[in-house]
């Protein structure tokens, strides 16, 4: 197991794609902080501390001709916790997780390296655990780096008025982890089920957005109440966890994240265990 992990770490260190992932994390944070508005990929479904129903505010924002003017408009109504808004959109990290999963795992299938590894007295269980540990470890580092880079840069650029107390921010970071680990587990499951890089990318990249669009279309078309979806869909949930949720809601999200971790890893492992490796 240690040899596999060490080999992956060496490969990751040499991989240009990892530096692209880091750059994406940095650029998303910088744009959100300087523009004083949390950026998001996909549908805008999260909480926000900005009042988008304020027509005067929206009009002023649309007329702003420079970044400096945008910042003045955003600061018009006083302080708000911008760092909470930013990590409320941590579903953006899903696309960074895809890059890591491809580098660590999917390319092994595409390059036929899995068969060579298994033929060298490495069990499938050891291989699966090794890959899962390294993906979880790297993604955890990226989550913490993204969150705390955003936190401290926001504190420096926008000041305490637009920042959350450090321990409150850390608490939010911790309660988001189970759900984030859940979507990482989903990607690991996809990797072991699909195996090919092209197929993995085709399914995984639009997956969250497609699920959102399909569920919203069905609920709107048939006038179905979907309170559970709007409370616990991954993007909604990550955002709601930043908005002073009840202890019950936090515990439900943690339990849901644990269920995702266990379920997706079981599916991935047993699929890998029974599949013939070519």
């Amino acid at each position: 197991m240690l040899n596999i992990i060490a080999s992956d770490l060496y490969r990751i260190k040499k991989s240009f794609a990892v530096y692209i992932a880091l750059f994406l994390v940095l650029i998303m944070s910088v744009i959100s902080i300087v523009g004083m508005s949390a950026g998001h990929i996909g549908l805008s479904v999260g909480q926000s501390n900005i009042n988008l129903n304020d027509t005067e505010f929206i009009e002023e924002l649309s007329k702003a001709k420079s970044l400096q003017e945008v910042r003045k408009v955003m600061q018009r109504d006083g302080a708000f916790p911008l760092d909470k808004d930013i990590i409320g959109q941590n579903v953006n990290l899903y696309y960074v997780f895809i890059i890591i999963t491809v580098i660590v795992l999917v390319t092994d299938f595409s390059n036929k390296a899995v068969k060579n590894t298994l033929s060298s007295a490495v069990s499938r269980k050891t291989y699966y655990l090794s890959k899962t540990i390294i993906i979880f470890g790297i993604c955890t580092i990226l989550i913490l780096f993204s969150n705390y880079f955003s936190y401290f840069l926001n504190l420096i650029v926008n000041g305490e008025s637009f920042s959350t107390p450090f321990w409150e921010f850390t608490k939010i970071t911790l309660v988001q982890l189970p759900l984030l680990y859940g979507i990482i587990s989903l990607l690991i499951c996809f990797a072991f089920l699909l195996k090919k890089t092209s197929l993995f990318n085709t399914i995984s990249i639009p997956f969250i957005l497609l699920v959102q669009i399909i569920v919203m279309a069905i609920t709107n078309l048939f006038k179905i109440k979907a309170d559970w979806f709007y409370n616990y869909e991954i993007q909604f949930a990550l955002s709601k966890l930043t908005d002073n949720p009840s202890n019950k809601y936090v515990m439900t999200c943690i339990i849901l994240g644990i269920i995702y971790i266990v379920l997706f890893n079981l599916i991935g492992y047993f699929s890998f265990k029974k599949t013939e490796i070519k």
Side-chain angles (χ1 to χ4, degrees), residues 29 32-33 37-39 81-90 150 154:
S29 295
S32 297
I33 289 163
S37 179
L82 175 61
D83 49 10
K84 277 188 179 183
D85 282 356
I86 293 171
I87 64 171
Q89 298 297 332
N90 265 349
S150 298
N154 178 59

Side-chain angles (χ1 to χ4, degrees), residues 53 65 90 110 128 132 141 147 155 160 167 175 204 206 223 233 245-246 249 259 265 273 278:
N53 294 318
K65 297 180 180 179
N90 265 349
S110 297
Y128 188 93
T132 302
I141 292 170
N147 279 19
L155 190 62
E160 291 185 2
W167 293 114
V175 297
S204 63
K223 307 299 180 184
E233 185 275 333
S246 66
Y249 182 80
I259 291 171
N265 278 293
K273 188 176 179 180
K278 299 180 181 180

Side-chain angles (χ1 to χ4, degrees), residues 126-165:
T126 298
Y127 182 87
Y128 188 93
L129 286 174
S130 300
K131 293 296 181 177
T132 302
I133 288 169
I134 193 68
I135 291 172
F136 268 63
I138 294 170
C139 289
T140 299
I141 292 170
L142 285 171
I143 293 166
L144 297 178
F145 174 75
S146 175
N147 279 19
Y148 287 102
F149 175 80
S150 298
Y151 178 82
F152 287 111
L153 184 62
N154 178 59
L155 190 62
I156 293 168
V157 174
N158 297 315
E160 291 185 2
S161 298
F162 296 91
S163 298
T164 306

Side-chain angles (χ1 to χ4, degrees), residues 3-19:
N3 288 337
I4 296 174
I5 293 173
S7 175
D8 281 333
L9 288 174
Y10 178 79
R11 184 172 56 176
I12 289 164
K13 183 180 177 181
K14 298 292 183 180
S15 174
F16 183 67
V18 170
Y19 298 101

